[in-house]
Amino acid sequence: MIKYIIISIIGVLLILALLPSYIRIKGHSMYPTLHNNGVYRVIPRPFVKEYKRGDIAVIYVQGIIPYTKRIIAVGGDKLQVTRKGAVIINGRPLNEPYILPKNRGGKTVNTVVPDGCYFVMGDNRRSSTDSRDFGVIEQWQLLGKVIIGKRGKK
């Protein structure tokens, strides 16, 4: 009898862990992809097999409320962000159709991303606190991956 109760509890915990979490976005740094006060699904860290360029991740930075940013470069990438906002990775321009022309620009960058790290930026580059300000993100700082449906909201 105890065996079945333990198996049932483990089963319920597993199902709850597999259900996606949700996050409410505060601010405009990911506009137009994510909207202020929008609620989005998140796959929690233990269930994300890998993070890659282009993923939108929930990150932990310096004890602040979690940020939501797009992964622009991964470990080993040579990254350059120009004054006009062009992103060049390993000598090739990054296609970023999610960036509005008026949202390009901001701080310049010329770096190589350390192995095991990620460089993240908001989609609204003129209104984003991101790796250009706080540096690269390490694996342990990634809390989950945002899942966007057809309209971007839940």
Side-chain angles (χ1 to χ4, degrees), residues 14-66:
L14 185 60
I15 289 170
L16 289 175
L18 291 173
L19 292 175
S21 300
Y22 292 89
I23 188 169
R24 179 176 301 277
I25 301 299
K26 297 287 186 188
H28 302 279
S29 72
M30 285 300 294
Y31 180 81
T33 308
L34 305 179
H35 299 275
N36 185 38
N37 288 318
V39 177
Y40 299 90
R41 290 176 38 167
V42 175
I43 299 173
R45 173 180 32 208
F47 303 103
V48 177
K49 291 184 181 179
E50 72 173 326
Y51 293 91
K52 58 187 182 297
R53 193 178 303 118
D55 287 346
I56 298 174
V58 178
I59 60 172
Y60 172 81
V61 180
Q62 304 166 351
I64 306 176
I65 303 169

Side-chain angles (χ1 to χ4, degrees), residues 102-118:
K102 69 179 183 176
N103 293 346
R104 291 193 180 278
K107 298 174 186 163
T108 62
V109 175
N110 193 359
T111 190
V112 174
V113 179
D115 287 337
C117 294
Y118 303 85

